Amino acid sequence: MPDELTAAQRRAVAELVRVWPVADELARRFTAAGHQLYLVGGPVRDALLGRLGNDLDFCTDAHPDQTLKALEGWAEATWETGREFGTIGAARRGLRCEITTFRADAYDGVTRNPTVQYGTSLTEDLRRRDFTVNAMAISLPDHQFTDPYGGLGDLAQRLLRTPGTPEESFGDDPLRMLRAARFVSQLGFSVDPPVRSALRDLAGDLRRITAERIRDELTKLLCGDDPVAGLRLLVDTGLADQCLPELAGLRLEIDEHAQHKDVYEHTLTVVRNAVSYEEDGPDFILRMAALMHDVGKPATKAVGPDGRVSFHHHEIVGARMTRARMKALRFPKDVTAAVSKLVALHLRFYGYGRGEWTDSAVRRYVTDAGDLLPRLHKLTRSDCTTRNRRKAAGLAADYDALEERIARLQAEEDLAKVRPDLDGNAIMELLGIPPGPAVGKAWQHLKELRLEHGPLARDEAEAELLAWARREGLTPPAGPAGE
């Protein structure tokens, strides 16, 4: 461990040199006013990990009014949105600084909101933090390192422990349990056995947390470097039962003949595969679709007379379940719609290799996916987890062929902008009808023809429209066009 600690300290020095000028300037103003100032928490941890960003957290014995006074003439901007909790924000030279008065909060055990009480010492403040790796501080401007709870050693071991007892920490704020899973995903940490036990025992306390805060932690977890490790911790400790029960529900009982794969393990593999297909950083919509793509299987599981297991229409059921869960967690409507649509479409490709798809089917596949098509490509490829190399190679070749066919048709027809060959104005003029439902029905009919047959010449489109109008009982105007 000493070698790891030395390396961490070297990384910290290299990272902190960048922010010392601003931090020390700020500290000198607090010192001149008779106050203490410490860089604390996540920034100290991240500096030791070599990943310090532009957000700096400080703690001080100064109260908010005193902090604001010290910032006068120095901060380029200040904000007081966290004043209720003793926090004042400030910006300087591209850095965002949040300065919080020492805290010694009391919790009611019912909500996660504390009764804010200002503390008097750094050690007391550090004890109320979630994990030891977030309970380290550096005094400013003299740069003395303070680590009363062994955070540096835990950081070297990538271990999550709590400064006090885990029961005390999670009882104060149950959201910290999800933060543990998030740090496992983001930072590659493991969980101390007493912490893991407390996660199991106190999982039900997540009911005290608002849906929005749970959503934010799950989003960060899923976008971490190793989301599968974080997801496993949620399921193994029972936390998933409280916030994402569909995931825990994937652990189906394997039938005695083992006629289907372990859906839970398959899902985690699909998530890992989806991560490998990303090109520009974490894609939450893709990862969430990978996570939820098979959640409809438990509800649709059936065993046939031959003992074979089936999950008919699980993609439709899964899309509905995905919508309901994401709505409950207060995800934005557009994000929910995108993820649900990918879940609904993820099985559409299977069967393509039998050679039954016409150009019309390919057009519909592209049109139905819309701007989600690139993600659908990745999700479909991620869903191939078979260990049968011949089968895997066949599926990959089939999808290669489908993508090549899509590219050819797109080049010929611009499938991303498929529209009927006649617009609404042309329809109204040709049929002699005013705006209304009939125009929409005609437009949809022409779009179906466009998908089925590809682009039509103008006279062909007009003839098809007139024929449709006659079948619908609409009488086209007399004249050359209607003859």
Side-chain angles (χ1 to χ4, degrees):
M1 192 165 64
D3 289 342
E4 285 84 352
L5 292 179
T6 301
Q9 290 161 342
R10 284 198 298 267
R11 285 194 297 269
V13 170
E15 291 285 296
L16 291 167
V17 162
R18 175 173 61 87
V19 302
W20 280 149
V22 171
D24 287 348
E25 278 180 14
L26 181 60
R28 283 191 286 269
R29 297 178 75 89
F30 275 77
T31 300
H35 300 300
Q36 306 166 45
L37 189 71
Y38 299 87
L39 185 67
V40 69
V44 178
R45 177 202 70 217
D46 288 343
L48 288 160
L49 291 172
R51 48 181 288 160
L52 180 62
N54 293 325
D55 294 337
L56 303 181
D57 295 333
F58 300 88
C59 66
T60 179
D61 59 345
H63 287 198
D65 285 339
Q66 296 167 319
T67 294
L68 281 168
K69 188 172 182 180
L71 292 171
E72 287 179 3
W74 178 84
E76 296 164 358
T78 60
W79 53 94
E80 301 182 43
T81 51
R83 186 189 182 99
E84 178 185 356
F85 300 101
T87 300
I88 299 296
R92 175 79 172 178
R93 296 183 193 170
L95 297 176
R96 289 172 53 89
C97 307
E98 292 202 337
I99 304 131
T100 303
T101 306
F102 290 153
R103 298 265 292 273
D105 299 335
Y107 290 81
D108 59 14
V110 177
T111 69
R112 72 178 294 267
N113 298 321
T115 300
V116 176
Q117 298 177 3
Y118 294 145
T120 58
S121 75
L122 174 66
T123 301
E124 181 184 29
D125 180 272
L126 294 177
R127 180 179 171 81
R128 55 165 289 279
R129 294 177 181 269
D130 53 3
F131 301 106
T132 60
V133 295
N134 295 328
M136 299 178 283
I138 300 173
S139 62
L140 300 168
D142 57 346
H143 305 168
Q144 296 299 307
F145 182 67
T146 299
D147 181 21
Y149 303 107
L152 185 58
D154 290 340
L155 190 73
Q157 297 183 71
R158 299 290 177 119
L159 182 68
L160 286 177
R161 285 192 311 115
T162 52
T165 67
E167 290 77 11
E168 175 187 10
S169 180
F170 301 152
D172 283 348
D173 183 359
L175 189 66
R176 292 172 174 175
M177 295 188 285
L178 288 186
R179 284 170 60 84
R182 191 237 295 181
F183 288 140
V184 167
S185 168
Q186 286 183 329
L187 304 175
F189 283 19
S190 60
V191 176
D192 195 40
V195 170
R196 185 179 287 268
S197 295
L199 293 176
R200 284 196 199 92
D201 295 342
L202 300 176
D205 284 358
L206 273 183
R207 289 189 292 269
R208 291 160 47 191
I209 306 301
T210 64
E212 291 83 357
R213 291 187 177 275
I214 290 174
R215 172 201 65 204
D216 292 346
E217 286 298 326
L218 289 177
T219 299
K220 293 173 184 176
L221 183 161
L222 201 55
C223 290
D225 290 343
D226 187 4
V228 169
L231 294 170
R232 284 193 187 281
L233 183 64
L234 292 183
V235 173
D236 293 346
T237 58
L239 289 168
D241 293 329
Q242 304 300 322
C243 62
L244 200 60
E246 295 82 2
L247 175 60
L250 291 176
R251 293 186 298 181
L252 296 170
E253 180 180 352
I254 302 297
D255 62 283
E256 59 180 334
H257 301 293
Q259 291 294 320
H260 69 82
K261 66 181 72 175
D262 184 327
V263 183
Y264 171 65
E265 290 297 333
H266 163 73
T267 294
L268 296 183
T269 300
V270 174
V271 172
R272 189 178 292 112
N273 289 347
V275 172
S276 72
Y277 281 113
E278 292 172 343
E279 299 161 359
D280 300 310
D283 181 344
F284 172 77
I285 290 175
L286 174 63
R287 294 187 185 198
M288 188 67 176
L291 179 64
M292 302 297 283
H293 80 286
D294 273 352
V295 295
K297 279 192 170 180
T300 58
K301 179 183 176 183
V303 181
D306 60 355
R308 291 186 176 277
V309 176
S310 63
F311 305 97
H312 293 307
H313 306 300
H314 76 268
E315 74 281 13
I316 304 304
V317 174
R320 185 168 63 246
M321 292 171 66
T322 298
R323 254 189 316 273
R325 176 55 49 198
M326 295 185 72
K327 181 179 179 181
L329 290 172
R330 307 289 194 271
F331 278 97
K333 291 182 180 179
D334 59 335
V335 175
T336 298
V339 174
S340 302
K341 189 172 184 179
L342 285 170
V343 172
L345 292 175
H346 84 274
L347 279 187
R348 181 77 69 85
F349 158 73
Y350 291 94
Y352 176 79
R354 295 196 296 267
E356 300 171 356
W357 280 35
T358 62
D359 282 353
S360 170
V362 176
R363 292 188 195 98
R364 291 180 186 279
Y365 185 78
V366 173
T367 303
D368 289 348
D371 58 5
L372 292 173
L373 184 63
R375 288 188 174 108
L376 183 57
H377 288 332
K378 294 172 183 177
L379 177 61
T380 303
R381 289 184 181 276
S382 298
D383 195 25
C384 177
T385 64
T386 179
R387 295 181 182 178
N388 183 317
R389 293 184 178 181
R390 180 177 296 179
K391 184 177 179 181
L395 287 170
D398 287 345
Y399 210 84
D400 288 343
L402 175 58
E403 287 194 351
E404 290 171 4
R405 192 170 173 187
I406 289 172
R408 175 177 59 78
L409 289 174
Q410 283 178 323
E412 294 173 357
E413 305 176 21
D414 195 6
L415 294 183
K417 299 179 181 178
V418 168
R419 295 288 186 275
D421 296 287
L422 300 175
D423 63 17
N425 289 328
I427 291 170
M428 289 187 288
E429 180 180 354
L430 189 63
L431 298 184
I433 59 176
V439 178
K441 290 178 65 176
W443 189 92
Q444 188 60 43
H445 172 70
L446 290 175
K447 182 177 179 181
E448 292 296 320
L449 288 176
R450 173 74 168 75
L451 290 170
E452 186 70 28
H453 301 293
L456 299 176
R458 176 79 183 202
D459 58 341
E460 292 177 313
E462 291 181 351
E464 291 286 354
L465 177 62
L466 293 172
W468 172 85
R470 293 188 187 96
R471 291 194 299 273
E472 293 292 312
L474 297 174
T475 304
E483 293 175 350

